[in-house]
């Protein structure tokens, strides 16, 4: 019985509990880094050994007997860290997963820990407050902002710029009959100047600014203060951070965390509304990770338009295109709909009436699309959303009017007609990049490179040489094998 949903709440530990949670988070980081270093060393040895969590748990038991700081951490948390490392390796070797090679964690990188469900107890103490019982910590208060319906399978304690949080992995019983969404099919076009445009709407859905004018001014002042304090620390304190500098960093982190919450709230409201009211949602297949890459160049010889490209990258990341698509992936299944991913090539240059692609119809980055062939003119993003929807039905090989006039709902349920591409079964996984695996996937796994890019996989693995105990390790044998 695995968790199929998650609920996140604000946690309110007292001072003693806060200090212990902070200590435990650093211990979990040390366990991760040590276990990862052991696995890298074992694989780069002559035996090419592969180490898993089962073997490392035995060494963990011996280490807990010798080290008091490690013994203070609940054993279940350390075991969960090793299982997380197993999952990280599995994702790295999975050709359908975008994850890279597991990386070592820095001191303040995502502080937190995981407790299995059998050692966690939850009780309600008032209308808005509840408590969770954690091993060696006791009862900790959290704000009950929504009911917990289901069986608690795990609890993740994490910390951001605004404080501590607890996320429960919940198992909810699946309905015997899957829902069928008969809503109108739509195409969704995402952008920067226009956040989202839905094909059946006359006005765009523009996300408001995630920071007010006063917060932007304060953030700019805090960043300038941080720069001055860091320059003073490098010049006079040998790079050691002062308490004032740490407070400045904490204030910046709080503003960034509040900004991220507002962005996530808008994305969730958008995707939930679309998934509830539409039976088919068509989106573009955008490789966001490649779109936000920096320009080539160095500090001495920067690339062309490096500053402009950096601003574009920030705007794309701020809009959360990949997150919108990821949320639509599981929410459409939850509400009985279907998500169809289509090609994005030329969608902003193709007319939704005559279907002729001409770059002259959309010159520049204006909001008007004017076809030079048939004279059709409308909002450029609405025209692109209509093209996206048309491509979704063309992929399935049927017209939208025939399907929806007949009252057939396109969903993931039994008995429904799917609009998924006929090639989608070949290694495609929902929520991933939807890449088609090549014929050399098996060979790539044995060579130790990622399916996404051989150079990327090898380079990620070479980068681990600098963190090996005792200095760098010669990977010439591995390189020869990969050649």
């Amino acid at each position: 019985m695995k968790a199929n949903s998650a609920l996140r709440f604000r946690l309110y530990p007292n001072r003693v509990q806060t200090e212990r949670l902070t200590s435990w988070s650093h211990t979990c980081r040390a366990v991760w880094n040590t276990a990862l270093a052991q696995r890298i060393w074992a694989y780069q040895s002559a035996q090419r050994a592969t180490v898993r969590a089962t073997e490392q748990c035995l060494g963990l038991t011996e280490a807990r007997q010798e080290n008091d700081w490690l013994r203070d951490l609940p054993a279940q948390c350390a075991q969960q860290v090793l299982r997380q490392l197993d999952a990280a390796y599995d994702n790295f070797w999975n050709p359908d997963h975008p994850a890279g090679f597991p990386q070592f964690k820095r001191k303040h990188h995502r502080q937190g820990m995981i407790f299995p469900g059998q050692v966690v107890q939850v009780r309600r103490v008032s209308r808005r407050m509840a408590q969770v019982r954690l091993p060696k910590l006791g009862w900790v208060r959290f704000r009950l902002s929504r009911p917990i319906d289901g069986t608690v399978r795990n609890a993740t304690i994490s910390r951001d710029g605004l404080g501590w949080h607890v996320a429960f992995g919940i198992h909810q019983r699946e309905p015997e009959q899957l829902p069928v969404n008969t809503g109108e099919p739509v195409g969704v076009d995402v952008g920067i100047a226009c956040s989202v445009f839905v094909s059946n709407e006359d006005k765009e859905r523009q996300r408001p600014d995630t920071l007010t004018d006063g917060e932007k001014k304060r953030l700019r002042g805090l960043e300038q203060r941080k720069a001055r304090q860091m320059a003073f620390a490098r010049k006079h304190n040998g790079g050691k951070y002062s308490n004032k500098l740490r407070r400045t960093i904490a204030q910046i982190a709080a503003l960034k965390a509040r900004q991220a919450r507002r962005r996530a709230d808008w994305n969730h409201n958008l995707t939930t509304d679309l998934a509830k009211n539409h039976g088919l949602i068509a989106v573009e297949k955008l490789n966001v990770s490649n779109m936000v890459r920096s320009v080539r160049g160095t500090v001495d010889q920067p690339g062309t338009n490096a500053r402009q490209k950096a601003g574009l990258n920030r705007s794309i990341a701020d809009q959360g295109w990949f997150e919108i698509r990821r949320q639509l992936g599981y929410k459409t299944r939850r509400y009985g709909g279907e998500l169809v991913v289509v090609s994005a090539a030329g969608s902003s240059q193709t007319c939704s009436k005559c279907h002729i692609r001409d770059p002259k119809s959309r010159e520049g980055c204006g909001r008007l699309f004017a076809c030079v062939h048939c004279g059709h003119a409308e909002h450029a993003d609405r025209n692109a959303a209509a093209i996206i929807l048309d491509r979704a039905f063309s992929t399935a090989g049927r017209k939208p009017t025939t399907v929806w006039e007949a009252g057939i709902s396109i969903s993931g349920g039994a008995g429904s007609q799917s609009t998924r591409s006929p090639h989608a079964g070949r290694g495609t996984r929902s929520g991933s990049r939807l890449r088609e695996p090549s014929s050399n996937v098996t060979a790539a796994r044995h060579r130790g490179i990622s399916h996404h890019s051989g150079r990327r996989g090898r380079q990620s693995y070479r980068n681990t040489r600098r963190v090996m105990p005792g200095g760098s390790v010669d990977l010439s044998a591995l390189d020869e094998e990969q050649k």
Side-chain angles (χ1 to χ4, degrees):
M1 186 171 60
K2 296 183 179 180
N4 51 18
S5 63
L7 299 176
R8 191 167 182 256
F9 305 94
R10 178 67 181 269
L11 196 67
Y12 295 97
N14 55 36
R15 184 180 60 83
V16 178
Q17 293 172 340
T18 300
E19 294 177 355
R20 202 163 192 186
L21 286 175
T22 304
S23 175
W24 287 356
S25 64
H26 293 315
T27 305
C28 289
R29 175 179 55 88
V31 172
W32 172 282
N33 291 340
T34 304
L36 180 58
Q38 289 178 351
R39 297 192 183 198
I40 296 175
W41 179 84
Y43 184 80
Q44 292 179 343
S45 62
Q47 289 78 15
R48 285 288 193 269
T50 300
V51 182
R52 302 288 289 184
T54 306
E55 295 85 359
Q56 289 186 315
C57 281
L58 300 177
L60 178 64
T61 303
E62 299 177 359
R64 286 174 57 86
Q65 297 176 358
E66 301 175 359
N67 301 278
D68 296 337
W69 59 271
L70 185 57
R71 192 183 310 115
D72 183 64
L73 176 70
Q76 300 88 351
C77 295
Q79 294 169 359
Q80 292 295 325
V81 171
L82 299 179
R83 293 189 179 97
Q84 280 185 307
L85 189 56
D86 278 355
Y89 267 90
D90 294 338
N91 294 335
F92 171 68
W93 291 114
N94 185 3
D96 297 329
H97 201 282
F101 189 81
Q103 300 295 315
F104 290 87
K105 294 184 178 181
R106 308 171 81 175
K107 182 177 181 179
H108 297 288
H109 174 77
R110 297 180 183 178
Q111 295 184 5
M113 63 225 69
I114 300 178
F115 296 88
Q118 55 267 26
V119 299
V120 174
Q121 298 180 19
V122 179
R123 68 182 183 186
R124 185 172 183 174
V125 296
S126 65
R127 188 171 66 93
R128 290 297 183 185
M129 297 301 296
Q131 290 180 333
V132 55
R133 188 179 185 276
L134 303 175
K136 296 186 178 182
L137 201 64
W139 294 98
V140 188
R141 297 187 311 123
F142 68 91
R143 182 172 179 82
L144 191 64
S145 56
R146 67 187 78 178
I148 302 178
D149 298 329
T151 305
V152 177
R153 300 301 303 161
N154 56 71
T156 303
I157 310 297
S158 60
R159 183 182 184 180
D160 61 6
L162 294 177
W164 291 92
H165 302 81
V166 55
F168 296 107
I170 308 297
H171 174 78
Q172 296 178 343
R173 183 175 299 178
E174 297 289 344
E176 298 180 358
Q177 186 175 2
L178 296 178
V180 178
N181 195 328
T182 58
E184 180 184 3
V186 293
V188 178
D189 179 71
V190 295
I192 297 177
C194 173
S195 298
V196 173
F197 212 113
V198 186
S199 59
N200 66 341
E201 297 178 0
D202 298 329
K203 189 177 180 180
E204 70 274 8
R205 299 193 184 189
Q206 188 65 34
R207 192 201 67 193
D209 291 338
T210 52
L211 290 177
T212 63
D213 294 338
E215 290 172 337
K216 292 179 181 178
K217 183 178 179 180
R218 182 167 180 264
L219 178 61
R220 185 164 53 250
L222 288 174
E223 290 176 343
Q224 293 174 354
R225 182 192 303 175
K226 175 186 173 182
R228 293 194 301 267
Q229 291 174 345
M230 291 190 67
F232 182 87
R234 288 193 297 266
K235 184 176 181 180
H236 300 282
N237 295 338
K240 183 179 179 181
Y241 284 13
S242 63
N243 291 332
K244 290 184 178 180
L245 176 56
R246 295 182 187 277
R247 284 195 296 267
T248 303
I249 294 175
Q251 293 173 356
I252 294 176
L255 279 177
K256 292 289 187 178
R258 188 175 294 113
Q259 183 181 19
R261 285 188 181 185
R262 294 169 181 171
R263 183 190 303 114
D265 178 72
W266 192 87
N267 289 340
H268 274 289
N269 290 333
L270 168 71
T271 54
T272 301
D273 177 70
L274 293 176
K276 280 185 176 180
N277 300 321
H278 302 286
L280 182 143
I281 302 175
V283 296
E284 291 179 312
K285 183 180 180 181
L286 300 175
N287 195 336
V288 182
S289 61
N290 290 342
M291 297 174 67
V292 297
R293 285 183 177 177
S294 303
V295 296
R296 295 183 177 180
T298 61
V299 177
D300 298 332
Q301 297 180 352
T304 306
N305 296 328
R307 187 179 297 274
Q308 292 83 346
K309 185 61 170 64
L312 177 63
N313 294 346
R314 285 193 296 268
S315 299
I316 294 176
D318 181 66
Q319 292 295 334
W321 294 350
F322 179 81
E323 181 64 16
I324 291 176
R325 173 178 158 184
R326 186 193 69 84
Q327 293 180 12
L328 286 174
Y330 72 86
K331 289 184 180 181
T332 50
R333 292 193 301 269
R334 177 183 300 173
Y335 295 107
E338 176 78 8
L339 178 66
V340 181
V341 183
V342 300
S343 174
S347 61
S348 61
Q349 302 174 351
T350 305
C351 179
S352 60
K353 298 298 181 182
C354 63
H355 299 282
I356 297 179
R357 177 179 177 179
D358 194 334
K360 297 180 180 179
S361 300
R362 176 82 185 280
E363 294 184 355
C365 299
R367 297 297 95 195
L368 177 65
F369 178 91
C371 183
V372 297
H373 298 276
C374 67
H376 172 67
E378 66 174 345
H379 196 286
D381 295 318
R382 183 180 182 182
N383 178 82
I387 291 296
I388 295 171
L389 179 61
D390 183 74
R391 289 180 179 179
F393 286 107
S394 300
T395 302
R398 53 172 175 263
K399 297 296 182 180
T401 55
T402 305
V403 173
W404 294 99
E405 288 180 358
I408 300 176
S409 174
I410 302 176
S411 66
S416 62
Q417 297 190 19
S418 174
T419 60
R420 194 176 295 275
S421 170
H423 303 289
R426 298 188 301 185
T428 305
R429 195 170 63 88
S430 176
S432 67
R433 288 183 174 181
L434 300 180
R435 289 184 172 183
E436 300 291 340
S438 59
S439 58
N440 60 349
V441 172
T442 305
R445 291 177 178 174
H446 290 291
R447 291 197 303 266
I449 62 176
S450 172
H451 166 62
H452 316 304
S453 172
R455 183 178 60 182
R456 173 189 172 191
R458 289 192 294 269
Q459 185 65 32
S460 300
Y461 208 88
R462 289 194 185 103
N463 289 339
T464 60
R465 286 181 289 184
R466 58 184 177 85
V467 294
M468 285 298 300
S472 61
V473 178
D474 184 14
L475 295 181
S476 58
L478 178 61
D479 295 342
E480 291 296 333
E481 182 180 358
Q482 291 172 351
K483 293 177 183 179

